[in-house]
Amino acid sequence: MATQADGFSGDDGASAREAVVEAALGKLDLDTKARLLAGQDMWSLPAIPEIGLAPLVMSDGPIGVRGVRWSADDPSIALPSPTALAATWDPALARRAGALLAQEARRKGVHVLLAPTVNLHRSPLGGRHFEAYSEDPYLTGAIGTGYVQGVQSGGVGTTVKHFVANDAETDRFTVDNLVSARALRELYLAPFETIVANAHPWGIMTAYNTVNGTTMTEHRYLVNEVLRGEWGFDGFNVSDWTAARSTTGAVKGGLDVAMPGPRTVYGPALAAAVRAGEAEESEVDAAVRNVLRLAARVGILEGAEPVVGEVPGEIDGVALAREVARRAFVLVRNSGVLPLRPDAKTALIGAAARDARILGGGSATVFPDRIVSPLDGLTAAVDSLTYTVGADPSDELAAADKGFELRAVCRDADGTVIGERSLPSGHLQWMGDDLPAGVTHETLHSIEIKGTFTPRVSGDHAFGTRGLGAFTLTVDGTVLYDGVQAMGDESDPFEAFVGAPLERGKATLTAGEPVEVSLLHPLDKSLAMPLPAVIFTFTHLEPRRDGDTLIAEAVEAARDAEVAVVVVATTERVESEGFDRADLRLPGRQDELVRAVAAVNPNTVVVVNSGSPVELPWREDVAAVLLSWFPGQEGGDALADVLLGAEEPGGRLPTTWGSFEDAPVTQVTPVDGQLPYTEGVFIGYRAWDKSGAVPSYPFGHGLGYTDWTYESLDVTGTTATVRVRNTGPRPGREVVQLYLSPNEPDAARPARWLAGFASVTAAPGEIVEAVVELPRRAFEIWDEKAGAWAHQPGSYELTAGRSLTDGRVSETLVA
């Protein structure tokens, strides 16, 4: 089993590594073992020189590898959001993305990525869905498998997360999700099971939440009996940060590492529990064995050959980020206006066209060394382009960014400077030992964010703070605020310590003329975070121009153009880790802007810059709608590639898009601490089918720039072969999707489900074949009485087509 779990079928070193692991384990005393499982700081496990174990370093990494510092001094490649990666429907591309992130991890000295996130889009209101893949467990498992294979092919470990049913953010630390055994198996556990079977991940991360009365860091049944026992997982199990609550509960529940260290439920508390007879040393040994196995696999345990001896060749991260973005764009509507001519007089409209939102908020944040906005990309590609703001998605202050050059100055209690660091923006987030050289949490008394600000526009600029405690805010020599912010009523502990951005004053500034800015923040030890951390933000908002005027300017620009391209977006206060969404509307007056532009220009193209579904109430009034997700650092150039036809939009919807009013599953707020998953196995398109409501755009939908004819579907055994012809004018790529539905309807089962998919490319007039293996699991359900998978015999309709609702050819099967 060890050979298989290392993730490479030809790995002959697994047994040798196991011998090294056992020898190292035998040299450790109880206290050392307990200390290893507690972690040594925010991101790493301690070195143990006596057995040749180096520190094991972890990093957040779904879309880029930040490393252990919240700093732009060591930039990271920023790939498109995981929803975008899933929209490619291409596990091979996910594997390449993973290989790139492994390359980034090695460069930053990181051994394990805290990714991928394979929780499901149970409800469209999930605030963190941009970091997960899909509403469908099969597609999620396929993309996650590719990602894990790619990362681990570079010798870097993964932790598939968040195990399990961490499908919303509201009260995520305390919520008890009540999920039936069948829904757990068929939906929420399914992606984890697929990835364990096909990619053999070296790690898993257990979630904050509770499932059916047991917190996940102590869930012996799901971890020890299902994950390790039934599935054969032999990697390490790390808690989500601060999730572990009980020493004995965690070790008996199968948790290997409680992060972050050094003060966790493990360490001395674990050693004491063993000596008191409350835990077995064999349980500690099992956890240490899993950690040492991981260390051996990544090459930091002396005497053990790493799984990957020779890493893959160098990958061009900029080129791959651009490729993933354009392959992920989903064209959901096109009346013929796309692709555009480069000489077409074009009006580009929208705040998000200038200030690109490339990723969602929270722990996935990275700092690339460049960001190509839609304005940048289209300016370089279009002969005649005008730009207007039109409508800003937010009138809320955000972290000081454009025009600011900032650094953080650290002082001790005497006012002596003890360290400095540059800041990528006005948001400061130092966790654990992520402090400037020479600074410790004990000596740190105050932090001053200071530097210069060069305004882009003249007028009254608003400045403010986000965070708790005392602040003194100074702009151009004038103190705008000197006061104290108390804690609010936010439910998420991290959100509570940060709070909402608050305006503290205004300053009248002139475009192009730099001014000095400063935000002084003395630390209040009584407001300490649950873990060693300093988090606060210097915020800013440009002068608020009259909304009617902005829309009027956009309308005039659109009226004078052949084509209008409107970029609409969500904000970090809509999609982020830490909270869920209240609705699916675009913020601000963006819907009004689109309608006004479309009324004067029939060739209006709307680009939707969001990580997960939003309502598109004007979709039938515009010529084209292109979903760009959070497109990563190269999104602007990728957008130009697609809009002008150098590349076709390659994406298909990984999640149903529809209105909040019609969405079948919208309950994400617990009642009395519990959130029942009353919908059972009916989420996503399964729930839309059951409800009878018609979404705006169905699961799997996406248009290209050519046409396809499905000529035949042949099934031999479990192999389906679909013949398709490119009947359009240009080469293209098609995602052939296969859906299975029982011919005898059963109210307890979905009407249809994704059973397989494959991509094909073809030149005009060319016929190609997509060959898809139908998995046995597609014909099974989880029998709760038997506690086992049960084959469901009978007649099924297998349909191949372009989306869930666009079937082209079908065949009857008898299972």
Side-chain angles (χ1 to χ4, degrees), residues 749 776-777 779-783 786 788-793:
R749 301 175 74 188
R776 178 175 176 81
R777 185 61 56 79
F779 300 91
E780 296 178 330
I781 66 168
W782 182 259
D783 185 329
W789 290 101
H791 179 69
Q792 300 298 290

Side-chain angles (χ1 to χ4, degrees), residues 337 345-347 349 554-566 594-605 621-623:
V337 66
K345 188 176 181 182
T346 303
I349 299 165
V555 167
E556 286 309 304
R559 196 192 312 271
D560 192 41
E562 291 180 65
V563 177
V565 178
V566 185
V594 173
R595 288 192 175 101
V597 169
V600 300
N601 192 319
N603 295 323
T604 295
V605 178
D621 303 326
V622 300

Side-chain angles (χ1 to χ4, degrees), residues 384-636:
S384 176
L385 184 77
T386 61
Y387 172 72
T388 54
V389 173
D392 199 305
S394 175
D395 60 359
E396 189 175 71
L397 289 90
D401 186 6
K402 300 294 187 299
F404 288 85
E405 292 187 9
L406 302 171
R407 65 187 186 277
V409 179
C410 302
R411 295 184 175 89
D412 63 16
D414 297 325
T416 302
V417 174
I418 56 177
E420 294 191 23
R421 180 182 292 175
S422 64
L423 289 179
S425 74
H427 182 59
L428 185 147
Q429 182 170 310
W430 295 341
M431 304 178 73
D433 291 340
D434 178 14
L435 295 169
V439 179
T440 66
H441 287 284
E442 290 70 29
T443 59
L444 183 58
H445 179 76
S446 71
I447 300 172
E448 182 182 12
I449 296 178
K450 62 185 301 184
T452 61
F453 171 51
T454 304
R456 297 188 294 189
V457 296
S458 299
D460 292 339
H461 288 252
F463 295 87
T465 62
R466 187 171 184 235
L468 300 179
F471 295 98
T472 302
L473 174 61
T474 307
V475 176
D476 198 20
T478 300
V479 176
L480 299 185
Y481 176 75
D482 188 2
V484 178
Q485 177 61 41
M487 185 177 291
D489 58 358
E490 290 81 5
S491 61
D492 186 295
F494 287 95
E495 185 72 7
F497 276 92
V498 175
L502 297 172
E503 182 177 317
R504 302 301 191 181
K506 289 187 173 70
T508 303
L509 305 176
T510 303
E513 294 186 6
V515 295
E516 298 292 321
V517 296
S518 165
L519 179 64
L520 177 64
H521 178 48
L523 300 183
D524 184 344
K525 303 298 184 181
S526 70
L527 296 173
M529 292 277 288
L531 46 85
V534 182
I535 302 177
F536 69 100
T537 311
F538 178 22
T539 63
H540 167 255
L541 181 65
E542 286 186 343
R544 299 170 175 87
R545 294 185 60 204
D546 177 69
D548 291 338
T549 301
L550 290 176
I551 292 177
E553 290 175 353
V555 167
E556 286 309 304
R559 196 192 312 271
D560 192 41
E562 291 180 65
V563 177
V565 178
V566 185
V567 182
V568 296
T570 59
T571 70
E572 67 176 9
R573 300 294 292 170
V574 174
E575 290 186 89
S576 176
E577 179 179 355
F579 53 86
D580 291 311
R581 300 159 72 184
D583 54 53
L584 301 180
R585 293 191 299 270
L586 286 167
R589 297 178 66 179
Q590 295 181 100
D591 287 332
E592 183 181 347
L593 170 67
V594 173
R595 288 192 175 101
V597 169
V600 300
N601 192 319
N603 295 323
T604 295
V605 178
V606 182
V607 178
V608 183
N609 181 196
S610 70
S612 52
V614 294
E615 291 179 341
L616 311 173
W618 33 257
R619 63 188 181 279
E620 300 297 331
D621 303 326
V622 300
V625 180
L626 181 70
L627 312 182
S628 69
W629 312 104
F630 295 145
Q633 67 177 60
E634 304 301 314

Side-chain angles (χ1 to χ4, degrees), residues 33-77:
K33 289 183 287 192
R35 178 168 57 88
L36 175 62
L37 303 182
Q40 72 172 351
D41 53 29
M42 180 60 61
W43 301 113
S44 68
L45 304 186
I48 304 179
E50 56 265 37
I51 60 171
L53 177 66
L56 186 142
V57 179
M58 295 170 272
S59 169
D60 287 314
I63 59 106
V65 185
R66 187 172 63 246
V68 299
R69 304 290 183 204
W70 188 271
S71 169
D73 294 342
D74 183 13
S76 308
I77 292 290

